Amino acid sequence: MSTQNVLSKEEILEHWLGHRRLTRRVIEAFPEKELFEYSIGGMRTFADLVKELISIDVPGLNGIVTKSMEPYNHNLDLHTKEDLLKEWDANTPELIDLYNQIPIERFHESFNLFGQYEFPVIHNIMYFIDNEIHHRGQGTVYLRSLGIEPPFFWER
Amino acid sequence: MSTQNVLSKEEILEHWLGHRRLTRRVIEAFPEKELFEYSIGGMRTFADLVKELISIDVPGLNGIVTKSMEPYNHNLDLHTKEDLLKEWDANTPELIDLYNQIPIERFHESFNLFGQYEFPVIHNIMYFIDNEIHHRGQGTVYLRSLGIEPPFFWER
């Protein structure tokens, strides 16, 4: 079977950056207090979910690029909405730079991400994106239950 | 700039089918009554979110394959968990069959999906997958708030 490629390295990055713009708007939509204190059913706060994303995106890409297998650390020193948004914005150019450094031939090579997720590089990258969509979807329920209309899902 | 392709048509389908297996487990995890009656913050029930997915996946792919621009209809005659799961399972082979009929050269062609979403075919397909992850993430908050542990996100 010949493989028929339909998504380029550049298109996957664009797709991810579109999702990052939307996630940023969801962070912004939270009131300061609820961002760090509110959750449903014993789940983590949206700030903690965002900290998870921050703690895997750039560190994960850095691990892939430098072939380092250090574990992640979700426990970040970010305590205000401004902290989170600043970190998010600072991460974007780093993420682009690191992503662009991954040679095309490595996307289908296996890599033991964070020393515990042994998958092809492209699977780990798709996981970063899917995991962001998943947690952001959860954040939109928190917003709705607070009476706040979330940003439109289809606007990137 | 040369485009460097990293995801094949086959890999995107596998990725989607993995998500569909997980979504099926999330549907199964709901109690019958709550699947159709429970929601948070004025949102739709998880049954209605699943009906949205059902009403765009196979009909959308069918529209792409046959170049038909008929609108979707979210209002499906599915009233029990068994109805939903049966429809979900019946859709999977149809989805695979339709997806495989899309010629590789059409993925980057623009198509007016449902007569209202004019995007390259690959964008509409990625939207189907992202939208499923998004709504399933919302469903996991419903489950948590009902005291039910959702299936693991990383198991496909």
Side-chain angles (χ1 to χ4, degrees):
Chain A
M1 186 175 67
S2 73
T3 41
Q4 303 184 298
N5 285 312
V6 288
L7 266 184
S8 72
K9 181 178 165 184
E10 296 80 4
E11 286 169 318
I12 291 169
L13 178 60
E14 273 317 307
H15 183 69
W16 194 357
L17 295 175
H19 277 298
R20 285 181 62 80
R21 287 189 289 272
L22 176 56
T23 303
R24 192 189 195 285
R25 288 200 292 275
V26 173
I27 300 169
E28 276 186 302
F30 271 85
E32 180 80 36
K33 184 178 156 66
E34 281 75 11
L35 182 56
F36 287 87
E37 295 180 11
Y38 185 75
S39 84
I40 292 176
M43 292 176 63
R44 285 172 287 170
T45 63
F46 193 60
D48 279 341
L49 298 177
V50 171
K51 282 194 250 180
E52 177 189 305
L53 304 178
I54 291 174
S55 70
I56 63 175
D57 289 349
V58 167
L61 290 175
N62 192 57
I64 291 167
V65 168
T66 64
K67 302 195 181 184
S68 139
M69 279 163 255
E70 262 183 72
Y72 55 78
N73 169 25
H74 292 340
N75 196 8
L76 303 175
D77 196 24
L78 302 167
H79 304 288
T80 64
K81 181 152 95 168
E82 199 193 340
D83 285 349
L84 278 182
L85 289 171
K86 254 195 192 161
E87 188 68 17
W88 193 261
D89 291 339
N91 281 184
T92 302
E94 289 183 68
L95 182 153
I96 295 169
D97 182 52
L98 287 164
Y99 181 90
N100 285 335
Q101 287 182 54
I102 307 172
I104 196 81
E105 56 275 15
R106 284 203 57 210
F107 277 75
H108 286 91
E109 269 178 26
S110 192
F111 175 71
N112 191 14
L113 186 74
F114 300 121
Q116 59 172 306
Y117 305 101
E118 179 78 51
F119 293 106
V121 163
I122 180 63
H123 285 213
N124 277 321
I125 290 170
M126 294 304 283
Y127 184 88
F128 295 158
I129 302 172
D130 291 351
N131 187 51
E132 178 170 338
I133 301 169
H134 172 69
H135 284 320
R136 187 184 57 215
Q138 296 176 325
T140 63
V141 184
Y142 294 5
L143 285 175
R144 286 277 182 200
S145 79
L146 291 165
I148 297 164
E149 185 171 6
F152 293 126
F153 178 65
W154 55 87
E155 272 185 22
R156 307 284 157 85
Chain B
M1 186 175 67
S2 73
T3 41
Q4 304 184 297
N5 285 313
V6 287
L7 267 184
S8 71
K9 181 178 165 184
E10 296 82 3
E11 286 170 317
I12 292 169
L13 177 60
E14 272 317 305
H15 183 70
W16 193 359
L17 295 176
H19 278 300
R20 285 180 62 81
R21 287 189 289 271
L22 176 56
T23 303
R24 192 190 196 284
R25 288 200 292 276
V26 173
I27 301 169
E28 276 187 300
F30 270 85
E32 179 82 35
K33 182 177 156 67
E34 281 75 10
L35 181 57
F36 287 88
E37 294 180 11
Y38 185 75
S39 85
I40 292 176
M43 293 175 63
R44 286 172 286 169
T45 63
F46 193 60
D48 278 342
L49 298 177
V50 171
K51 282 193 250 179
E52 178 191 304
L53 303 178
I54 291 173
S55 71
I56 65 176
D57 289 348
V58 166
L61 290 175
N62 192 57
I64 291 167
V65 168
T66 63
K67 301 197 180 182
S68 139
M69 280 164 253
E70 263 183 72
Y72 55 77
N73 168 26
H74 291 340
N75 197 7
L76 303 175
D77 196 22
L78 302 167
H79 304 288
T80 64
K81 181 152 96 169
E82 198 193 341
D83 285 350
L84 278 181
L85 289 172
K86 252 195 194 162
E87 187 68 16
W88 194 259
D89 292 338
N91 280 186
T92 302
E94 287 184 69
L95 182 153
I96 295 169
D97 181 52
L98 287 163
Y99 181 89
N100 286 333
Q101 288 182 54
I102 307 171
I104 195 80
E105 57 274 16
R106 284 203 58 211
F107 276 75
H108 286 91
E109 268 177 27
S110 193
F111 175 70
N112 192 15
L113 186 73
F114 300 122
Q116 58 171 309
Y117 305 102
E118 178 78 51
F119 293 107
V121 163
I122 180 64
H123 286 213
N124 277 322
I125 290 170
M126 293 305 283
Y127 184 88
F128 295 159
I129 302 172
D130 292 350
N131 186 52
E132 178 170 338
I133 301 169
H134 172 70
H135 285 319
R136 186 184 59 215
Q138 296 176 326
T140 64
V141 184
Y142 294 4
L143 284 176
R144 286 277 183 198
S145 80
L146 291 165
I148 298 165
E149 185 169 7
F152 293 126
F153 178 64
W154 54 87
E155 273 185 21
R156 309 282 157 84

